[in-house]
Amino acid sequence: MAAVETYPSEVRAQAKYLRTAPRKAQLVADQIRGRTVPEARTILAFTTRDAARDMEKVLNSAVANAEANHGLVGDELIVSAAFVGEGPTLKRWRARARGRAARIRKRTCHITLTLARPDGSVLPAPRGQAPVQAETTPVTPRRRSKAETAESEETAETKPKRAAKPKADEEPKTTAKPKADAEEKPKRKRAAKPKAAADDKPKPKTTRKKKES
């Protein structure tokens, strides 16, 4: 399967680890989702929430990416997606009555905005970058059936075998000459141990008599 050249249809910008609660930032993101860029800027300018300042920075970054990388006009785009993800929570504590400690959770969030054309058409290729190639699905080999495997075995058996090549005339091997019989060395005879004399009889064992109490 041949690879197909594709181009992105959205421009994305993201801000991570912002010191704002995800719930508070999500309320601002719901106000600008689906709006045009001029409308979103107006809404964020008159929103009193602190998360609106961070959201406005991310929106300006996405517009700059579209204008610099793809050569688009920022005011002609719309906010196709705006969502907020939860980041790591910083845990602190404060002293309370009776020697107790209360936990303080300082939450963080990740803001992501994507811009697209109103008709959803594909954006032009980025400047100085090659087009993105779509992933190709690998082709899995087909398994052979039992009949096909049997036929392949039969054809392999019927093929004539190649004749063996004649080997070069080898020189006759020389038989090793028999070694001269080594001179037999006289074996040493062990001296016979002297037999015990008849007079040397073993002494009888003496038993001690028990004393009468």
Side-chain angles (χ1 to χ4, degrees), residues 1-71:
M1 183 176 180
V4 181
E5 296 181 355
T6 59
Y7 300 97
S9 60
E10 294 179 342
V11 181
R12 182 182 176 208
Q14 186 179 32
K16 303 185 72 175
Y17 304 105
L18 298 177
R19 289 293 299 274
T20 305
R23 175 58 181 164
K24 297 177 181 179
Q26 187 67 40
L27 295 174
V28 179
D30 295 340
Q31 300 297 325
I32 65 173
R33 187 181 297 110
R35 304 276 186 174
T36 61
V37 171
E39 289 178 353
R41 283 176 173 169
T42 305
I43 293 171
L44 295 175
F46 289 96
T47 303
T48 57
R49 290 184 177 273
D50 293 338
R53 310 285 79 78
D54 297 328
M55 194 73 65
E56 188 176 3
K57 291 179 181 179
V58 180
L59 178 62
N60 294 334
S61 177
V63 172
N65 292 339
E67 294 176 350
N69 298 336
H70 300 277

Side-chain angles (χ1 to χ4, degrees), residues 101-124:
R103 180 177 294 178
I104 300 174
R105 298 180 180 89
K106 297 185 177 182
R107 303 185 186 275
T108 60
C109 65
H110 310 312
I111 298 176
T112 305
L113 293 180
T114 57
L115 304 180
R117 287 178 172 175
D119 55 355
S121 59
V122 178
L123 302 180

Side-chain angles (χ1 to χ4, degrees), residues 3 5 8 13 19 28-29 34 39-40 42 69 75 79 84 100 105 120 125 128 135 145 181 199 201 210-211:
E5 296 181 355
R19 289 293 299 274
V28 179
E39 289 178 353
T42 305
N69 298 336
D75 293 342
V79 181
V84 180
R100 293 176 295 176
R105 298 180 180 89
E135 297 181 357
S145 61
D181 298 336
D199 297 338
K201 293 181 180 180
K210 294 182 181 181
K211 294 183 180 181

